[in-house]
Amino acid sequence: MTVALEIAVTSPAGVVVARDGGADRVELCVGLELGGLTPSQALVEATHETGIPAHVLVRCRPGGFVHDPDELDLMVREVRTVLRSGAAGVVVGALRPDRTLDVDALRRFVDAAREVRASAEVTLHRAVDHAADPVHAVALLADLGFTRVLTSGGAPTAAAGATTIAAMVAAAGPVQVMAGAGVTPHDVPALVQTGVAAVHLSAKRSAGGSHDGVPMGAGDDGSAHFVTDAAVVAAARAALR
């Protein structure tokens, strides 16, 4: 089985680095330091123009995965918007307060995606790693219409959660399991051994150029932003070969 390489990117420049480095697709978001948030329509359009398939994160805020009705309504609209702007798929997730999958919300996301494009791929994001039982959770995804799930096996990093990831692969049926979280090129061979269909990494490095003085908010403490590192993308591609 060929294992796909997905790179998380936050800019058109990062998309091009990932594409030229051999990535099969990108996950597009903003605010990686916040766990990732929905990107703008313009960023989705610019990414689409590069030619690489882009799976767009739809997450309206940081800070957990239990969403109120207004947030769910907004994300349903965002699902439609990003797909109409050229996304190949969407990356979504929602939990109930008891840490089980919010299956009603997930069905709404899937239905919204397939209303726009029947071929749209739908990925469950790492909300699954906050579920009470990630292995049981992935067993539900095929019936909900999901294409794949991104997971660290409920651990801080995918390498640490490799044993659970293997169990998730066994439970997922036709749903693809993609390992991600703290992945480095060195981790790739061991993650492939779990049976995953893809590995996911941000391949990021500091861009430098931090600003001094007054912080701009909780997500901007003055430190530098991150950019996609071509050498890390190439190393991950080589590891998969």
Side-chain angles (χ1 to χ4, degrees), residues 37-198:
L37 300 170
T38 309
S40 70
Q41 180 178 343
L43 180 52
V44 178
E45 292 171 347
T47 299
H48 176 63
E49 291 169 2
T50 69
I52 190 171
H55 295 249
V56 176
L57 179 65
V58 173
R59 184 178 178 225
C60 66
R61 59 153 174 81
F65 305 103
V66 178
H67 294 285
D68 65 31
D70 288 341
E71 291 172 338
L72 294 174
D73 288 346
L74 174 60
M75 288 190 288
V76 166
R77 293 174 66 122
E78 288 179 326
V79 164
R80 297 190 180 109
T81 296
V82 301
L83 287 168
R84 289 169 180 156
S85 300
V90 291
V91 184
V92 296
L95 297 177
R96 297 187 179 114
D98 65 358
R99 297 173 58 210
T100 59
L101 295 182
D102 187 340
V103 294
D104 293 332
L106 297 180
R107 283 195 184 97
R108 289 185 66 194
F109 296 151
V110 172
D111 289 347
R114 302 277 161 68
E115 286 167 8
V116 175
R117 189 183 313 122
S119 61
E121 297 187 2
V122 185
T123 300
L124 179 67
H125 61 47
R126 290 192 59 220
V128 72
D129 293 320
H130 296 260
D133 186 344
V135 176
H136 174 72
V138 299
L140 305 176
L141 297 181
D143 287 342
L144 293 172
F146 277 80
T147 309
R148 71 178 55 84
V149 57
L150 171 63
T151 183
S152 65
T157 67
T163 299
T164 301
I165 291 173
M168 294 170 78
V169 170
V175 175
Q176 300 171 21
V177 177
M178 177 166 56
V183 174
T184 68
H186 175 77
D187 300 321
V188 168
L191 292 173
V192 169
Q193 291 301 311
T194 67
V196 293

Side-chain angles (χ1 to χ4, degrees), residues 23-40:
D24 296 290
R25 60 178 179 260
V26 297
E27 181 193 54
L28 184 67
C29 66
V30 295
L32 271 177
E33 69 279 3
L34 300 173
L37 300 170
T38 309
S40 70

Side-chain angles (χ1 to χ4, degrees), residues 206-211 221-226:
S206 173
S210 60
H211 66 76
D221 62 0
S223 59
H225 68 286
F226 293 103

